[in-house]
């Protein structure tokens, strides 16, 4: 089969560029090869075709999930989230667990968390210091972690039983998204991840350069298991949080989920449910601070509407969408072909990988005129097309938390804008940097408090 051309540089060199600075490289490759090109990386050992063509994106969203395996494409997350994580499952089990986990992230169940989101944000904003720079990204992480912990466990991170887990998660995600953590994540072959973890447990830990990271992960693991055991003991009946719901769930054979399965799903929601949203919040504030005209208009909108009637916050909604267009948190999503398939007119063999490139599609000048300009007007009164705008991926694997994240971002930002004026920290230039598999503003996005209301 003839795959589209791509760089003929050695695989190892490709890997280094992919890890170090993938986004400028993607721009270069599209300029050279067009909207579909093939990349060879050493670890995958199979061709990866990177698509930035809407027809290919449509094929990936509408294709048969038994052919297009997202779980297999997310394999590197196995070492972090475990083999039973929704993100790495495919087939019937994926469908069953997704159905089970979706309801709290939608409709009335989701809206029931609105007041919590407002309270958690107000408490965090009240702690922001006057007169010195502070990290907005750390602060949005604290907010989103607290919110997701309440959704998952039914109690917030301020609860004394939850505090050790919150601290352990913060430590682990900080180490895991550092340069070393990112390199370990991207370069550890998934088949050896468990051996490395066991070796660390047995004492090798002291000499591995990333031992701290593995120990932090083991601590998170232990604390989540303790919480599962405690909830089993207390009883889950009548509770609405996700842990209780999953404890009550039975498969077709009537069997409950095992502790390993529960741990992996809890961890998946805790990690996927706070890191991404926190980064998107930090990016939105960044773009607003860089565009005072939009900052002023949106602040005026929030002051007029308040933080309850979210549907009326049209400009804020558009600014969040434009943020996720220009600075998507994840630059691409992948599918491994379990059978041969034609994607975007290209016949691809079994085992190859098709990537829908969020970053490149969102920056195509023919689809998004003047693509590097931050312009929320692109989304005011317009419905986005899922083949040209897809910050949450698409098809049956579209982000489980999309509605929840969009709802939370609006509430958090409206609460911030209603309570304070922020300004850029003096002399700090924000760049786009890799944090694990996500892309975030550099330096923790330092800001200053300009005024409280
Ligand atoms: C701005 C915030 C967020 C962004 C940008 C984001 C983005 C994404 C993307 C791109 C995917 C892959 C979709 C695909 O393969 O087509 C995904 C999957 C997923 N996300 Fe999110 N996400 C966000 C927030 C959340 C939240 C709040 C949760 C918590 C529930 C969450 C949980 C998940 C899960 C469980 C999956 C796997 C779904 C599956 O495989 O069926 N995400 N997300």
């Amino acid at each position: 089969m003839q795959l589209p051309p791509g760089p003929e540089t050695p695989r190892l060199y490709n890997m280094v560029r992919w890890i170090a600075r993938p986004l400028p490289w993607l721009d270069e490759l599209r300029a050279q090869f067009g909207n579909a090109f093939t990349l060879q990386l050493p670890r995958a050992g199979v061709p990866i075709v990177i698509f930035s063509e809407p027809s290919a994106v449509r094929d990936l969203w509408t294709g048969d999930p038994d052919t297009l395996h997202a779980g297999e494409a997310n394999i590197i997350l196995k070492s972090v989230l475990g083999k039973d994580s929704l993100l790495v499952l495919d087939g019937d089990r994926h469908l069953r667990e997704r159905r089970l986990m979706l309801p709290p992230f939608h409709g009335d169940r989701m809206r029931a968390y609105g007041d919590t989101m407002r309270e958690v944000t107000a408490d965090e904003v009240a702690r922001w210091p006057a007169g010195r720079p502070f990290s907005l990204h750390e602060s949005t992480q604290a907010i989103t972690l607290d919110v997701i912990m309440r959704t998952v466990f039914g109690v917030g991170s301020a609860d004394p039983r939850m505090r050790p887990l919150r601290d352990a998660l913060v430590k682990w995600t900080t180490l895991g998204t550092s340069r070393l953590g990112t390199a370990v994540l991207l370069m550890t072959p998934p088949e050896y991840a468990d051996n490395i973890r066991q070796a660390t447990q047995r004492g090798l830990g002291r000499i591995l350069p990333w031992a701290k990271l593995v120990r932090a992960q083991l601590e998170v693991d232990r604390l989540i298991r303790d919480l599962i055991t405690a909830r089993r003991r207390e009883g889950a009946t009548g509770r609405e949080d996700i842990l209780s719901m999953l404890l009550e769930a039975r498969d077709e054979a009537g069997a409950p989920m095992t502790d390993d399965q529960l741990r992996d799903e809890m961890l998946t929601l805790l990690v996927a449910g706070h890191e991404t949203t926190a980064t998107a919040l930090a990016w939105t504030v960044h773009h607003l601070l860089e565009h005072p005209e939009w900052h002023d208009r949106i602040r005026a909108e929030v002051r007029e509407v308040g933080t309850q009637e979210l549907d009326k916050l049209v400009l804020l909604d558009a600014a969040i969408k434009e943020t996720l267009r220009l600075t998507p948190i994840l630059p691409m999503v992948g599918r491994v072909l379990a059978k041969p398939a034609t994607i975007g007119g290209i016949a691809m063999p079994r085992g190859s990988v098709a990537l829908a490139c969020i970053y490149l599609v969102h920056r195509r000048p023919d689809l998004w005129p003047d693509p590097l300009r931050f312009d929320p007007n692109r989304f005011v009164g317009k419905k986005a097309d899922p083949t040209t705008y897809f910050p949450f991926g698409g098809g049956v694997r579209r982000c489980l938390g999309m509605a929840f994240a969009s709802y939370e971002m609006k509430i958090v930002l409206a609460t911030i804008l209603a309570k304070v004026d922020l300004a850029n920290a003096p002399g700090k230039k924000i760049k786009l940097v890799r944090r694990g598999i996500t892309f975030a503003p550099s330096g923790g996005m330092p800001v200053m408090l300009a005024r409280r209301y």
Side-chain angles (χ1 to χ4, degrees), residues 61 70 74 86-89 94 98 101 105 148 268-269 272-274 276-278 280 324 328-330 332-335 358 390-402 404-406 408-409:
W61 297 168
N74 293 336
L86 190 68
L87 271 153
V88 304
L89 294 178
H94 166 262
R98 187 177 161 104
M101 287 157 69
F105 296 105
I148 196 71
T268 299
L269 292 175
H274 95 277
T276 42
T277 315
L324 291 173
I329 314 304
L330 292 157
M332 58 194 74
V333 295
R335 306 291 184 254
I358 304 174
F390 48 94
F392 294 97
V396 294
R397 298 303 291 244
R398 197 178 68 181
C399 173
L400 182 90
M402 183 177 98
F404 188 87
S406 307
E408 182 177 8
M409 283 191 280

Side-chain angles (χ1 to χ4, degrees), residues 168 171-172 175 211-221:
K171 186 169 175 195
W172 177 50
L175 289 166
K212 258 197 203 162
L213 170 64
V214 183
R215 278 201 301 272
Q217 182 169 10
L218 291 170
E219 179 64 1
V220 169
D221 180 75

